[in-house]
Amino acid sequence: MHRLSLVVRLLLLLIAAVAFPAAAAPLQAQWEFRLLPGDAQGASHPGLQQWRTATVPGSVHTDLLAHDLIRDPYVGAAEADLQWIGLADWEYRARFDVDAATLAKPNAELRFDGLDTYAEVSLNGRPLLRADNAHRTWNARVEGQLRAKDNELLVVFRSPIRTLLPGVQAMPHKIAGNYPSPYGDEPKDAMVGNFARKPAYHFGWDWGPRYVTAGVWRGVDLQAWDAHRLTDLAVRTEALDAGQAKLAVQLQVEQGSAAGSAVVAVDVRDPEGRSVAQLQRSVLLKPGANTVEIPVELADPRRWWPVGHGAQDRYTVQARLDGGRSAELAREQRIGLRTVELRREEDDNGGQGFAFVINGVEVFAKGANVIPFDAFPARVDAARLRQVLTAARDANMNMLRNWGGGYYEDDAFFDIADELGLLVWQDFMFGGGMQPGYDPAFRASVVAEARDSVRRLRHHPSIVLWCGNNEEETAWKDWGHGRDLKAADPAFAARVWQGYVDLFGKGLRQVVGEEGLGVPYWSSSPSNDLDEKANDSTRGDKHYWQVWGNPALPVQAYLRETPRFMSEYGLQAWPSLATVDQIASRDEQGIDSPVIRAHQKFMAGDGNSRLLHYIALGYGTPKDFEDFVYLSQVMQADGIALAALHHRASRPYTMGSLYWQLNDVWPGASWSSVDYFGRWKALHFAARRFFAPVTLAALRDEGRTRVRLINDGSAADARWRLRVMDVEGKVLRRREVPVTLTAAGVTAVGDFADAELLAGADPKRTVAVFELLQDGKVSARQVVGFVEAKDQTLQRQALKAVLAIDGDHYRLRLQSAAYVRSAWIDFGALDVQVEDNLLDLLPGESRDIAVRGPVDLATLREALKVKTLNDR
């Protein structure tokens, strides 16, 4: 029964939750901001108490920057000098007019989609609401309070630190937080971030800065209506297969103080815009909230599939009340028809699987974790989201995990994921440590936040899991958080844990069950959904940080850890010099220089020592900062490729590999594969290969290489080839064998001992080349060395690079005289796109790489650099 309760079938979900026409209009207002008069920060920052223009949505940091009142928070070592902003109280003011038609309606409401965070709102001198949760939508009725001219909306934002710190300091025993402030604005033993319903990363993380923001960070809308309005449209799937879809269109209608009636019309249109179902019904409405449900059946439905498994077809559902003559009487959703199941079958050894099943098909999840795209969310536009999500799709990813320490992304994120066929694992916004779930008011606020977010986002077919939090359960059970609090105050520890169970085991699970249209719920990552063990390789999902974290095992340890679903693992690297140049001048660039340390948040600035440790293990000591950046990227790409291929080669025991992390919040050192400016690191080019639908895994550990052929699609005929050669190209051994690739599975080729492959050859000068051939062409290759890269005997100046015009683009031809390892093509800051990068070339091999961009050939040639491990 327990297993069956977790097998949740779905669904129809939707793409852009936008109304037609808009259900509420953005408030047309002139916004201003200032430091709240009388604030203590005014003494050291004079002049900020006068009104200045503000941008909404936005934040106080970006408004200060727009007026040149602060330096760029991302350039140099600015962070320490800007912490005062999070200690201050700020005031925002909007002035606006209201047209006669709006004033004439008996009902009116202001909706605030994001107030960050402790806000006191008044309208025309009268208190309107008090907010304390940046993740919630706040609504306030304003009929009778609006006037035709010169309305004034005031929002006072209180410092989260000053608001919460006295209460936290007064606690006899504290709950565990995340990353203590290095700036003295709060004590290390009294961190306030876990008590605030505000993006946790604003208080600093090990990949981003500490900027405690305030402001109207999402839109403000004004809506007015007559007797009733349509407040929500959802579509639930009752049954779905290739032949038929049975749907329930569910409308939420708000009726005024007197009962009434309305005519409801529903129109469903196929992906080409043709009407495939039209229904109309008269309904009686009681005062207050009403639910109207209309069944719809579709023949031969076109289902939505994740990328690589089928098309991303979507339908449009339109609903109207009384003909939809005004904005509040009409809604429209784009939808994707699909079912989702989290399959957790017991195995013979006491383990339990963890696999996503879409439309009845098990999908191996290939992808990465997503963090916020900026410290200041309002700066993130749809173009940046599309750039990074498209990069994920182009690297053969099919799943992204939206990590819980940020914020619930805009609809644009999920619209793009729906379009691209990217599955989304969506955390609720808890990033780690522990939270005061023992407080009923806190739990109620989180449940309201969750209900807002699930209702807003449930229409997206990309969302296939709601997860309660990131790492709170494992922190309590495995990191000593629970043990330490139990030792200090057993009764309080019991209250804290019961509050955790009430919130993540019951409250959020209930919200997803009621509002999520059948999407599965998972209480924490990693976990076994509140089973005894939290971070288990045999059951549930796994976070693995013994490589990179403590005890900093070598990357080969990835091959000895086989989870059911790996939802976090990672290695750090610096972004390209072109990105570093945008935050630090060349004379500021040193492995341990102050500005570089300021952008290395791991180990509170000492993280480069960990990077040097991993670089030294495999590649030797960097010659200079440029070499350090290059080697960090090579190390990251090689290590994550090893882990990801191991996960894929372990299918079906393992059914997911999501590395940490896809993107960056600012320019600096991190675990990302795409940096803050959208530049691909070496890891992202490698991901396109190790996540390819058909590939080869040759995994060497402790003197043996196991070779597996990986295939996401249908069975296919191919050949695999082995060549053992020296670094100059002399072939010492060759073997080629026909093979049938297993459908949606793994084909074992063999396990090879070093002694068998080398047969007495010099391991420093010899490599084993494993290749997969389809239709006579090499579709995948791995070159296996027998010693670390630093110990290989590689020929210097073995690569020749020639640039030429080739039609509408440039062609970079790489020609190798000997084995070339980890060739990295770099054009500096030029705005060009390189077709492929981080390449190994065999002796005598030639590769043509397309280069595109608005740059002339002479400039390209001057900028071109190709770094290799050969020439270090």
Side-chain angles (χ1 to χ4, degrees), residues 283-340:
V283 296
L284 296 177
L285 301 173
K286 68 180 188 300
N290 294 263
T291 299
V292 176
E293 192 164 288
I294 299 175
V296 176
E297 293 188 9
L298 303 178
D300 302 320
R302 292 156 62 176
R303 290 175 288 180
W304 182 94
W305 291 90
V307 61
H309 291 267
Q312 288 74 54
D313 286 321
R314 287 158 290 165
Y315 290 74
T316 302
V317 178
Q318 299 174 344
R320 298 177 184 269
L321 287 179
D322 293 340
R325 293 182 299 274
S326 55
E328 68 274 11
L329 300 177
R331 288 249 169 186
E332 177 178 296
Q333 304 281 12
R334 290 194 72 189
I335 70 169
L337 298 171
R338 62 99 175 93
T339 62
V340 60

Side-chain angles (χ1 to χ4, degrees), residues 209-245:
R210 178 182 174 91
Y211 287 127
V212 182
T213 60
V216 185
W217 77 281
R218 277 188 165 145
V220 182
D221 294 334
L222 174 63
Q223 185 182 78
W225 66 97
D226 292 315
H228 46 239
R229 62 172 172 166
L230 180 56
T231 60
D232 196 23
L233 163 62
V235 184
R236 187 176 67 250
T237 295
E238 307 289 356
L240 176 64
D241 57 29
Q244 186 182 49

Side-chain angles (χ1 to χ4, degrees), residues 346-352 538-539 564 653:
E346 300 279 353
D347 61 30
D348 295 337
N349 299 315
Q352 191 175 32
T538 66
R539 306 168 73 88
R564 306 314 296 255
Y653 184 90

Side-chain angles (χ1 to χ4, degrees), residues 11 56 71 95 149 160 257 311 321 373 403 432 466 479 543 556 693 738 742 768 871:
L11 194 84
V56 169
R71 57 194 290 199
R95 289 177 170 166
K149 298 289 184 182
S257 57
L321 287 179
F373 289 78
W403 169 79
W466 286 96
W479 301 357
H543 291 193
Q556 288 76 16
T742 303
D871 295 320

Side-chain angles (χ1 to χ4, degrees), residues 359-381:
N359 297 328
V361 176
E362 282 198 357
V363 175
F364 188 99
K366 305 179 297 183
N369 290 259
V370 173
I371 65 169
F373 289 78
D374 204 291
F376 313 111
R379 298 207 299 196
V380 181
D381 59 15

